[in-house]
Amino acid sequence: MPLYCDIRFEPTHIASSPRGPTLLVRWLVNPGQIIEPGTPLARLSAAGAVSELRIRFRCQVGDLAVNPGTLVTSGDALLRVHADGEEIPEGYRYCTTHML
């Protein structure tokens, strides 16, 4: 069954998320784009370290809730994605971060 997920900047949604305020440097995807697991969504910068936010399941990008150059903090909405709900187990972290 199709559903939408609002991905937030918080540990329950992002495995290994940066601690503290983080700059969303730029989006690497566009609304409407269909993406596969491991696809980079955005470039982040925290305390001088740059990382990529990557999705962990196949989905379609919906709305981007944050403009590039915005400082995000815990709980802030980042984006909405649309996916097949059967592919997302309960308690599943939607994204991971990878240092560059």
Side-chain angles (χ1 to χ4, degrees), residues 9 14 17 23 25 34-36 39 43 45-46 48 59 64 66:
F9 188 74
I14 303 170
S17 62
L23 181 69
V25 177
I34 296 175
I35 55 176
E36 299 296 328
T39 299
R43 186 127 325 130
S45 177
C59 61
L64 304 176
V66 177

Side-chain angles (χ1 to χ4, degrees), residues 27-76:
W27 288 107
L28 303 173
V29 294
N30 296 303
Q33 185 177 346
I34 296 175
I35 55 176
E36 299 296 328
T39 299
L41 298 172
R43 186 127 325 130
L44 307 173
S45 177
V50 177
S51 62
E52 281 183 343
L53 180 67
R54 296 181 187 172
I55 195 74
R56 296 183 65 203
F57 55 91
R58 187 176 197 278
C59 61
Q60 182 176 22
V61 178
D63 297 328
L64 304 176
V66 177
N67 291 321
T70 300
L71 202 59
V72 294
T73 58
S74 185
D76 287 349

Side-chain angles (χ1 to χ4, degrees), residues 78-100:
L78 298 176
L79 74 155
R80 175 172 282 185
V81 297
H82 305 273
D84 182 350
E86 295 173 9
E87 293 184 25
I88 309 169
E90 179 127 2
Y92 189 76
R93 289 188 175 147
Y94 305 138
C95 300
T96 58
T97 56
H98 297 268
M99 299 302 292
L100 297 181

